[in-house]
Amino acid sequence: MSATQVESLIDDLASGAVEVVDLTQPLSESTPVIKLPPPFANTPGLSRTEISMYDDRGPAWAWYTLEIGEHVGTHLDAPIHWITGRDGADVASIPPASLVGPAVVIDKTAETESDPGYLLTVDDLEAFEAEHGRIPERAWVLLRTGWGSRAQDEAAFLNVGENGPVTPGPDVEASRWLATERPISGFGVETVGIDAGAAGGFDPPFPLHNLLLGAGRLGLTQLASLDKLPITGALIVVSPLKLVGGTGSPSRVLAFVPR
Ligand code: MN
């Protein structure tokens, strides 16, 4: 982008020709967090304690101490989150250019409405490209499912049934395709994790974590407002904390959308 194009983007933001859309779920003590079955350890959600509140501890200022898991709310998965990516990047080492790129939205809202455990397939990905063109380099592929409408209701959001969680995500071969067939920066979802709810029983288990993070690419979960994005043509900006050694980070995720 030339200086002129940056100036034109600034003008477009001022005029509303380009809108900034917030793809982040609100983060609070009630934000749903993933619940792993025994014997696995679980993450805490958000909690905070006052340091001072305009009082004797600090008469003119308020501030809190946070406790929060790295993988809480709208958050990034770094390659080192998964054992297959353990020699890859921590959050602080991710090249910033990977955190900005074209957003490509694959809409499986209708499919997810009729089948909450809907599995995205290679056929779906190829059909998407036949209709909308090849997924570009450095793209963030976003799986739109409508699941974000459940984000304030933990039971509906996690959707754990008798046989475990039932949430949409890619199947094994789609996970392999995303990790190896296109040079994408990452894959984002509206659900609590990048893999489907049933993926613990796949071979390999959690194939998108295994293959995508193993390939040095990134994950993004618990996204909001994907219905406000065009299928192609938006620019996404992912802003995790620059956490040294971090396996993931709560993130603010914004999109520039032409109107
Ligand atoms: Mn995660």
Side-chain angles (χ1 to χ4, degrees), residues 82-101:
W82 217 252
I83 190 166
T84 48
R86 67 192 303 168
D87 297 324
D90 65 351
V91 182
S93 309
I94 293 168
S98 300
L99 300 174
V100 178

Side-chain angles (χ1 to χ4, degrees), residues 68-85:
I68 187 168
E70 293 170 310
H71 298 260
V72 172
T74 301
H75 74 269
L76 181 88
D77 285 352
I80 65 164
H81 177 45
W82 217 252
I83 190 166
T84 48

Side-chain angles (χ1 to χ4, degrees), residues 37-73:
F40 304 118
N42 272 298
T43 180
L46 171 66
S47 63
R48 49 193 146 184
T49 51
E50 282 180 16
I51 300 172
S52 71
M53 187 55 62
Y54 324 119
D55 55 22
D56 291 346
R57 299 169 297 174
W61 52 92
W63 51 346
Y64 295 92
T65 299
L66 304 183
E67 184 193 26
I68 187 168
E70 293 170 310
H71 298 260
V72 172

Side-chain angles (χ1 to χ4, degrees), residues 117-130:
Y118 183 77
L119 295 180
L120 183 76
T121 65
V122 172
D123 280 352
D124 289 334
L125 293 163
E126 290 177 347
F128 176 88
E129 287 198 332

Side-chain angles (χ1 to χ4, degrees), residues 34 70-73 75-78 81-82 192-194 209 213 219-222 247-249:
I34 197 165
E70 293 170 310
H71 298 260
V72 172
H75 74 269
L76 181 88
D77 285 352
H81 177 45
W82 217 252
V192 77
I194 57 173
H209 282 89
L213 303 182
L220 198 52
T221 74
Q222 252 160 298
T247 73
S249 171

Side-chain angles (χ1 to χ4, degrees), residues 119 165 167 169-172 175 194-209:
L119 295 180
T167 62
D171 71 9
V172 174
S175 298
I194 57 173
D195 267 295
F202 293 177
D203 180 21
F206 307 105
L208 193 58
H209 282 89

